[in-house]
Amino acid sequence: MNPAAGTALAVLLSLVSAAGYALAAVAQSRLAAASPAAPDGRGTLRALLARGQWWWAVGLNAAGALAHVAALHYGPLTLVQPLGALTLVAALPLGAYRARRRVTRTEWRGALWTVAGLVGLVAVTGPAAPGEALSLRESLVVAAATALLIAALASGRHHGNGGRAGRGLGHATASGIASGVASALTQTLTAALALDLPGAEPTWWQTALLAVLISGFATGGLLLSQAAYRGGFAAPLAVVNLSNPAAAAVIGVALLGETFRAGAWGWFAAAGASLIAARGVVLLTKGGGGAGEAGAGTRAATEAGTGAGALVEGGAVARGAGGLPAARVAGLAVPEAEPAGVPLAG
């Protein structure tokens, strides 16, 4: 295949990947809006796994990941990674369409700021050299430190009075970090299978341990993103897309000897890109019919003394995180209290 055709195919696959991730995010957000949590949080994960919509979202995420890997086969990282930022641009109108509303001007501004910051961050991040990977000891240290960080972010204690939106951004940050670490460990597993891992030749149980860690972080990232969408839609999605490459960049700089392009100026450029992206996330947090609509819908239902069945029969639509309409499921009661995040254990 000639270079021009390879580049065109890489762009096409990147667009397919972004569309898959965007559709998955919309499906997860609708599911978050439609799934009440038990007062003690038990059984929520079990109920989630029983929903066909959840597995539809999992399939879309998997399709997006496969398309992304295929795009990297035909095109350079410097082309494919920035195109991944289109996930946010595609998800905004898709979510608004499903919610039967328009994307606000503030949301579009926030999306553009976030995409600009993300593209800038990816542009100054140096790609890993061929064969570069963590050692087994470094992998275990990274996994342990990441697990502690994720536990702190997902606990919600550090958000203070931020409410559900603050917890959503914490879950989104944890989700992106988990996915970024899963990618770094996948690179290590690939090197281990090729017997090209730094240090001694890995044993079968060490390789199996890496596979278990990868599965755990990948699954945790998916569940954390599901919990994040209870606090909104666009802002958590932006944070997931930002924290993923940020976590990979930290691992690369701290452990793999990578650095930002342009030396010291690259560090300043990365800091500036991060500030631009942060500005976008702030705008997305303020911009749309997000969690506020969910709270208003729940309060109205409570004041009227009705459940979801009465709302459906009356033609009303309860709106959840990100302004997305709750699924009209017969017998699904609207919780009178603010729903808790999706727990990581059933």
Side-chain angles (χ1 to χ4, degrees):
M1 182 179 294
N2 61 67
T7 300
L9 184 56
V11 171
L12 178 61
L13 288 169
S14 297
L15 296 178
V16 171
S17 174
Y21 283 132
L23 288 169
V26 172
Q28 285 184 267
S29 182
R30 287 175 59 83
L31 187 58
S35 300
D40 58 0
R42 296 180 179 178
T44 307
L45 179 57
R46 189 178 300 109
L48 185 67
L49 297 178
R51 298 289 296 275
Q53 187 179 4
W54 163 255
W55 293 108
W56 173 248
V58 171
L60 287 170
N61 272 307
L66 290 175
H68 179 75
V69 171
L72 288 173
H73 177 73
Y74 292 103
L77 183 69
T78 52
L79 171 68
V80 174
Q81 285 294 91
L83 289 175
L86 294 177
T87 296
L88 179 61
V89 178
L92 273 179
L94 285 173
Y97 174 77
R98 296 299 298 270
R100 298 182 181 179
R101 67 175 182 87
R102 293 183 178 180
V103 180
T104 67
R105 183 177 300 179
T106 303
E107 285 178 311
W108 278 125
R109 287 173 54 206
L112 292 177
W113 277 80
T114 303
V115 169
L118 180 56
V119 171
L121 185 63
V122 171
V124 298
T125 302
E132 203 170 43
L134 299 172
S135 67
L136 285 171
R137 179 176 296 179
E138 289 171 339
S139 297
L140 294 177
V141 171
V142 168
T146 303
L148 292 175
L149 179 58
I150 289 175
L153 289 169
S155 66
R157 296 177 182 178
H158 64 292
H159 300 302
N161 295 325
R164 184 164 53 179
R167 289 196 299 273
L169 294 183
H171 285 130
T173 304
S175 173
I177 292 174
S179 299
V181 171
S183 298
L185 294 178
T186 300
Q187 186 183 24
T188 300
L189 178 61
T190 302
L193 294 176
L195 302 181
D196 193 28
L197 196 67
E201 181 178 327
T203 61
W204 69 268
W205 67 265
Q206 291 172 326
T207 304
L209 178 60
L210 281 173
V212 170
L213 289 174
I214 292 168
S215 300
F217 281 115
T219 303
L222 188 61
L223 292 174
L224 284 163
S225 67
Q226 179 67 59
Y229 293 132
R230 288 188 176 274
F233 175 56
L237 178 60
V239 170
V240 169
N241 281 272
L242 283 169
S243 53
N244 187 322
V250 169
I251 292 174
V253 171
L255 297 175
L256 299 179
E258 298 176 9
T259 185
F260 292 111
R261 293 188 176 95
W265 289 107
W267 288 88
F268 285 108
S274 299
L275 290 175
I276 290 173
R279 169 65 175 166
V281 172
V282 171
L283 289 173
L284 289 171
T285 304
K286 298 178 179 178
E293 292 184 9
T298 302
R299 285 193 299 271
T302 303
E303 292 171 0
T306 60
L311 287 175
V312 172
E313 292 174 3
V317 178
R319 295 189 180 274
L324 301 174
R328 298 180 178 181
V329 181
L332 182 64
V334 175
E336 296 183 359
E338 176 182 306
V342 176
L344 298 183

